[in-house]
Amino acid sequence: MNGAFWHAKWQRNEIGFHERQPNAFLIRHFPAMHLAAGSRIFLPLCGKSLDIHWLLARGYKVCGIELSDIAVRQLFAELDLVPRITATGRLRRFEAKGLCIFVGDFFDLSRQELGHVDGVYDRAALIALPAPVRQRYATHLISITDAAPQLLICLDYDQACRAGPPFSVNEAEVRRHYEDRFELTCLERQDVPGGLKGACPAMEIVWKLEPRNETAR
């Protein structure tokens, strides 16, 4: 699975992963992050998520990265914003009124280009990636955000029942990727109604990741 796969999804408008309303787990659990209005929140692999609308409406600044130019242009249009577009390294940066989205490969985004962030919200990034890529993703995310606190939503199901994406990322894997740098708290577990696209039972799990202090590392 490579960039061409996701570009084709957006070109054909095959975006079943795009939720038609702000995510219920975000609404319920984002307050547990204790981030004041005005904080800058990073959404990796963000698409044109309505979660961005929700965060902006509550006074947060939002930054993200998305591979598809189509998704980003639609996001700004749906927000009725006209972005300033500039080149930065291998990426392009779209900016307007508290919103900054980079277009390009996640692994091309550096800490310097991203700038300071106060928190990370990952609803469908980690679970969009195949197993060989997920450790690299987690390591890079921690690096470019300087281990900022994170709200992470994962799926757990029998991967043998269905090929991803979305992929199954169970508790053991979440701990493998993040426990060295974060205290992990499970905020909620909920069965997916009807299972994962009717193929098998699945559970959504919401994690809060709080950075360990220096003495605990």
Side-chain angles (χ1 to χ4, degrees):
M1 185 178 303
N2 54 29
F5 172 89
W6 294 108
H7 282 302
K9 287 285 188 184
W10 282 99
Q11 288 163 359
R12 296 194 297 262
N13 199 37
E14 296 175 353
I15 54 172
F17 49 82
H18 174 69
E19 295 186 328
R20 302 300 177 181
Q21 56 190 4
N23 184 270
F25 294 125
L26 171 68
I27 295 169
R28 279 203 293 276
H29 295 298
F30 195 77
M33 301 291 288
H34 302 296
L35 295 172
S39 298
R40 192 164 185 252
I41 313 302
F42 179 55
L43 280 67
L45 284 59
C46 62
K48 60 171 186 174
S49 174
L50 293 181
D51 297 339
I52 293 172
H53 299 233
W54 188 89
L55 289 164
L56 290 171
R58 281 148 186 82
Y60 294 100
K61 298 175 183 176
V62 176
C63 52
I65 186 163
E66 166 56 40
L67 187 63
S68 170
D69 178 270
I70 293 171
V72 175
R73 291 185 184 277
Q74 289 181 3
L75 170 65
F76 279 85
E78 290 167 9
L79 286 163
D80 198 24
L81 295 174
V82 178
R84 299 182 305 278
I85 305 173
T86 55
T88 175
R90 295 185 175 184
L91 307 171
R92 284 176 298 146
R93 181 169 50 218
F94 287 57
E95 290 183 278
K97 291 187 179 179
L99 177 61
C100 173
I101 306 293
F102 296 89
V103 177
D105 190 322
F106 169 78
F107 294 106
D108 287 334
L109 180 61
S110 69
R111 184 188 298 189
Q112 292 72 29
E113 289 165 328
L114 176 59
H116 174 77
V117 299
D118 300 293
V120 176
Y121 170 55
D122 179 344
R123 181 191 73 81
L126 182 65
I127 62 173
L129 301 171
V133 182
R134 291 197 290 265
Q135 182 62 67
R136 183 184 173 210
Y137 163 85
T139 299
H140 188 63
L141 180 62
I142 292 168
S143 174
I144 63 176
T145 63
D146 195 23
Q150 183 175 163
L151 188 68
L152 170 66
I153 303 173
C154 288
L155 275 171
D156 188 0
Y157 66 94
D158 183 356
Q159 191 73 81
C161 290
R162 187 181 183 279
F167 295 96
S168 177
V169 179
N170 62 22
E171 177 174 345
E173 182 174 349
V174 171
R175 293 190 180 280
R176 186 165 69 248
H177 295 324
Y178 293 115
E179 198 164 42
D180 283 351
R181 299 295 301 273
F182 298 93
E183 295 284 351
L184 274 61
T185 304
C186 178
L187 299 178
E188 186 173 352
R189 298 173 185 266
Q190 179 174 290
D191 290 332
V192 176
L196 185 65
K197 300 185 179 180
C200 61
M203 180 174 289
E204 286 188 284
I205 305 174
V206 184
W207 293 97
K208 178 183 177 183
L209 279 60
E210 296 179 282
R212 295 181 183 275
N213 60 41
E214 291 297 329
T215 59
R217 290 178 187 171

